[in-house]
Amino acid sequence: MSFDNEFTRMFGVEHPLVCGGMLAVGTAELISAVAEAGALGFLSALTQPTPEALAKEIARCRELTDRPFGVNLTILPTIEPVPYEEYRAVIVDSGVGVVETAGSNPAPHLAAFKAAGVKVIHKAVSVRHALKAEALGVDAVSIDGFECAGHPGGDDVPGLVLIPAATRRLRIPVIASGGFATGSGLVAALALGACAVNMGTRFEATLEAPIHPNVKARIVANDERDTRIVFREFGNTARVARNAVSEEIARLGARPGATFADVAALASGRRGRQRVLRDGEVEDGMWWAGQAQGLIDSVESCATVVDTIVREAESVIRGRLPQQLARHGVG
């Protein structure tokens, strides 16, 4: 089945599927495979320790694919200042055609991206934030439902409500994010008004994802209940995989008067990247995963994941859905 909609035309890809930026995961091996499969993937800029390293990673990705891919630039408060302007300059100078911004307001970077002809997708967790991004001039919005891994915001609105609430008010393309891993999910997102779906956890469980096989096996073994909400007490709600560390973070955070300092060592990103993603000790650090774990039952290549989703979407549209409608006397 082929898709031809505002998303595929705008970004020059075959399928309305996105692998958004994932810290420590969005590297050339994975993103080139996503691109070769006909979807749109994003290298994670801040996975690279310096802007110069990002330039090399972009070049390495281009050696692996001649299809479109983008770069994610996540803008968040950090203990050590991040040279965002230098990362931005590398993206522009490397000729990357699309950027995914996330975290803080992208306004300081938009003029430079627009002047270079770079299209910008901004990730938002609420309709009000999406409308603000549209007013600033972004080209598309990726809207994160409460099911997503990472930071879903504090409103707790799931995709079934958030996606149509966004698409009914926005004039720019909307990418549905959070809880997607299947072809039926893609069809549902399209029915709700989105033009594509973004998947993170599903692409973690691929052969090309640069993480330990133990993590991929845990994603497959987990069900939809195996995530944990943490950091809510600190005004930075996050959804992560349920394990010994995330349970302890949640316990410590719930104590009266708790501060982030009480959980900082457990929640260390470096600990998660090294102990979990690199070494495969899945109980020994905090790592990101969404409720879509409950829909993932195998580790496959990116090509197989994309092909399976597209084929299932076709089956739903042309077979299963008409049959269900007929069964209920619709038609």
Side-chain angles (χ1 to χ4, degrees):
M1 183 174 188
S2 62
F3 290 90
D4 179 17
N5 66 7
E6 55 189 344
F7 175 85
T8 59
R9 292 190 296 271
M10 179 177 288
F11 300 108
V13 296
E14 187 177 354
H15 305 301
L17 301 172
V18 179
C19 175
M22 292 184 282
L23 191 64
V25 182
T27 61
E29 288 83 3
L30 174 62
I31 302 310
S32 63
V34 170
E36 284 293 296
L40 180 63
F42 288 90
L43 296 172
S44 172
L46 300 189
T47 293
Q48 304 306 318
T50 64
E52 293 76 16
L54 174 61
K56 292 179 181 178
E57 192 71 2
I58 292 170
R60 196 162 70 90
C61 199
R62 285 211 173 101
E63 291 174 356
L64 297 170
T65 184
D66 59 1
R67 295 192 175 192
F69 64 88
V71 174
N72 167 280
L73 186 65
T74 296
I75 310 155
L76 293 172
T78 57
I79 297 175
E80 297 181 5
V82 174
Y84 284 110
E85 293 79 9
E86 295 178 32
Y87 279 101
R88 183 186 70 209
V90 165
I91 293 169
V92 170
D93 294 343
S94 297
V96 172
V98 55
V99 166
E100 178 189 61
T101 57
S104 300
N105 191 320
H109 304 281
L110 289 181
F113 285 140
K114 290 294 183 180
V118 179
K119 293 182 174 64
V120 178
I121 300 171
H122 185 66
K123 296 192 76 172
V125 296
S126 70
V127 176
R128 61 187 183 279
H129 294 153
L131 289 168
K132 176 65 173 179
E134 180 183 55
L136 291 171
V138 304
D139 298 280
V141 165
S142 180
I143 195 86
D144 274 348
F146 188 55
E147 305 92 334
C148 72
H151 297 281
D155 294 340
D156 298 2
V157 181
L160 191 61
V161 173
L162 185 61
I163 296 163
T167 58
R168 69 191 296 185
R169 297 188 62 187
L170 290 160
R171 298 182 302 276
I172 57 177
V174 174
I175 300 161
S177 180
F180 293 101
T182 64
S184 56
L186 171 58
V187 174
L190 297 175
L192 293 173
C195 63
V197 297
N198 172 60
M199 303 183 297
T201 306
R202 171 65 271 194
F203 280 118
E204 281 189 304
T206 57
L207 298 175
E208 296 90 347
I211 58 179
H212 198 281
N214 289 356
V215 180
K216 302 175 188 182
R218 176 62 71 89
I219 291 172
V220 170
N222 281 348
D223 64 25
E224 68 279 2
R225 301 167 297 171
D226 289 316
T227 66
R228 196 69 164 88
I229 293 296
V230 295
F231 304 159
R232 172 156 287 177
E233 302 86 354
F234 314 128
N236 192 27
T237 301
R239 185 182 298 281
V240 299
R242 185 186 295 272
N243 66 2
V245 167
S246 62
E247 292 284 14
E248 180 66 3
I249 290 171
R251 187 188 70 81
L252 293 173
R255 296 189 307 183
T259 68
F260 185 74
D262 297 322
V263 302
L266 289 171
S268 165
R270 178 173 296 180
R271 174 176 177 161
R273 290 191 296 273
Q274 293 179 353
R275 305 279 280 274
V276 179
L277 300 186
R278 185 191 67 187
D279 299 337
E281 300 294 338
V282 294
E283 293 290 334
D284 207 23
M286 192 185 79
W287 51 286
W288 308 101
Q291 291 180 322
Q293 288 181 121
L295 304 174
I296 300 168
D297 56 14
S298 62
V299 176
E300 308 286 355
S301 69
C302 288
T304 298
V305 166
V306 170
D307 182 66
T308 299
I309 289 173
V310 171
R311 287 179 180 274
E312 183 187 347
E314 179 180 21
S315 174
V316 171
I317 292 170
R318 295 181 176 172
R320 190 192 316 167
L321 185 57
Q323 290 173 4
Q324 289 176 328
L325 292 174
R327 188 178 303 123
H328 295 287
V330 179

